[in-house]
Amino acid sequence: MSYKVKLDIFEGPFDLLVYLIERAGVNIYDVNISEITDQYLAYVDVMEQIDPDTAAEFMVLAATLLQIKSRMLLPAEKTDKGTVIEEDPRDELAKKIVEYKKYKYIAEVLRICEERGSRIYTKPREDISVYMGEPEEYLNVDMNKFIKAFRLFLEKRRRVEEVKKRYEQVAREKMSMERKSQQVSGLLRKRKRLSFGDLLADEKDTYDIVLTFVTLLEMLAKSMITVNQPVVFGDIEVMLKEDLQNERH
């Protein structure tokens, strides 16, 4: 069996052990200690050939695994009365592995939080003392002038209200999309080709601008017009289809 060991993928002895157990797909409390120990020692052997200093850190746990392996081979201990003492040598190691996995999970959560926090930028604190402690300013206005100005305001408001009661503002009728389509078709029959900017040149109202744009989209969907943009980000040219050029309304 060949082993490929990359030293920086295992953070410590327990990291390698957890990796071997998870790869075997068994419960921590039901580990085949003999098989796992053999695999662990094989990894450590390769590490020792690559980097003896790093491998030394793994030797303590390797010794523990060998001790547990040897204890598993011994017959069960009995009391003076002949009762078998059921003590699993793996229990203490299993508890340490569970504890290790718990702290590793917490460390990963903290690492993610730190990574997210590093992408958050706060605005530096500014000195606002120059805007504080300024004395309040008062307008030096003559009371009679103030009263006169207020009366003029009330009078102007009263006149505006009277005008509103006598006159009504008449809003012009909004053009429909069908009428705008006929208008655009008529312009294109005369000019053959118009830019999008030319079609909007005389439009002052927001409604008319939106209506023109939506109408052009509708005409394009119905294959009534063709559009072309010779230059990137340049003006868009609008042309009437040839079969509609000679029609008269």
Side-chain angles (χ1 to χ4, degrees):
M1 181 182 296
S2 61
Y3 293 90
K4 295 181 180 178
V5 177
K6 186 178 180 182
L7 296 178
D8 57 354
I9 66 173
F10 300 119
E11 297 176 358
F14 271 97
D15 206 36
L16 173 57
L17 182 58
V18 170
Y19 164 75
L20 294 174
I21 294 174
E22 291 180 346
R23 191 181 67 173
V26 296
N27 188 289
I28 293 175
Y29 293 95
D30 192 28
V31 174
N32 185 334
I33 199 69
S34 178
E35 181 181 348
I36 291 296
T37 301
D38 292 342
Q39 293 180 15
Y40 188 91
L41 291 174
Y43 272 90
V44 173
D45 182 56
V46 176
M47 286 184 181
E48 192 172 16
Q49 296 176 22
I50 299 174
D51 187 352
D53 294 334
T54 302
E57 301 177 9
F58 292 76
M59 294 303 295
V60 176
L61 183 55
T64 302
L65 291 173
L66 287 172
Q67 183 185 21
I68 296 174
K69 180 179 179 180
S70 62
R71 289 176 63 187
M72 295 286 290
L73 297 174
L74 296 175
E77 186 179 353
K78 296 183 179 181
T79 62
D80 297 336
K81 297 180 180 180
T83 306
V84 177
I85 301 176
E86 296 181 357
E87 181 181 354
D88 195 332
R90 299 172 297 180
D91 287 346
E92 185 177 354
L93 179 63
K95 292 178 182 178
K96 291 181 179 180
I97 293 174
V98 171
E99 194 75 7
Y100 171 78
K101 291 185 68 175
K102 181 177 70 173
Y103 283 105
K104 185 177 180 181
Y105 171 76
I106 295 174
E108 179 63 16
V109 172
L110 293 176
R111 185 194 64 79
I112 294 174
C113 292
E114 181 185 15
E115 183 181 346
R116 291 176 179 173
S118 65
R119 296 196 295 267
I120 299 175
Y121 299 92
T122 57
K123 186 176 181 295
R125 183 176 180 181
E126 296 183 5
D127 182 14
I128 60 173
S129 59
V130 293
Y131 306 104
M132 302 174 63
E134 293 291 333
E136 296 181 0
E137 296 184 5
Y138 298 93
L139 294 176
N140 186 16
V141 181
D142 181 73
M143 183 58 68
N144 292 329
K145 291 182 179 180
F146 178 79
I147 294 173
K148 183 179 179 181
F150 185 66
R151 286 176 177 173
L152 290 174
F153 166 75
L154 294 177
E155 180 64 21
K156 183 178 180 180
R157 184 174 179 179
R158 184 184 64 79
R159 292 177 182 176
V160 171
E161 293 296 331
E162 289 180 357
V163 171
K164 287 183 178 180
K165 291 179 182 179
R166 295 181 182 180
Y167 302 95
E168 292 183 3
Q169 183 177 4
V170 179
R172 67 183 179 87
E173 184 179 356
K174 300 291 186 181
M175 182 179 292
S176 65
M177 187 182 296
E178 181 180 358
R179 180 74 185 92
K180 173 58 73 172
S181 177
Q182 295 173 358
Q183 185 186 76
V184 172
S185 298
L187 290 172
L188 291 175
R189 289 191 183 94
K190 294 178 182 178
R191 301 275 297 275
K192 303 294 183 183
R193 185 190 304 263
L194 284 172
S195 69
F196 184 64
D198 292 335
L199 290 172
L200 296 179
D202 297 329
E203 307 294 3
K204 305 297 183 183
D205 187 75
T206 304
Y207 174 85
D208 294 330
I209 294 174
V210 174
L211 177 64
T212 301
F213 178 70
V214 174
T215 301
L216 288 175
L217 292 179
E218 181 70 15
M219 294 175 71
L220 186 62
K222 293 181 178 180
S223 299
M224 297 173 62
I225 60 173
T226 59
V227 295
N228 183 37
Q229 190 178 35
V231 182
V232 179
F233 301 116
D235 210 346
I236 299 174
E237 297 178 346
V238 183
M239 294 159 285
L240 200 64
K241 283 291 185 69
E242 292 183 3
D243 55 341
L244 298 177
Q245 280 288 351
N246 298 323
E247 288 187 7
R248 292 290 183 270
H249 293 274

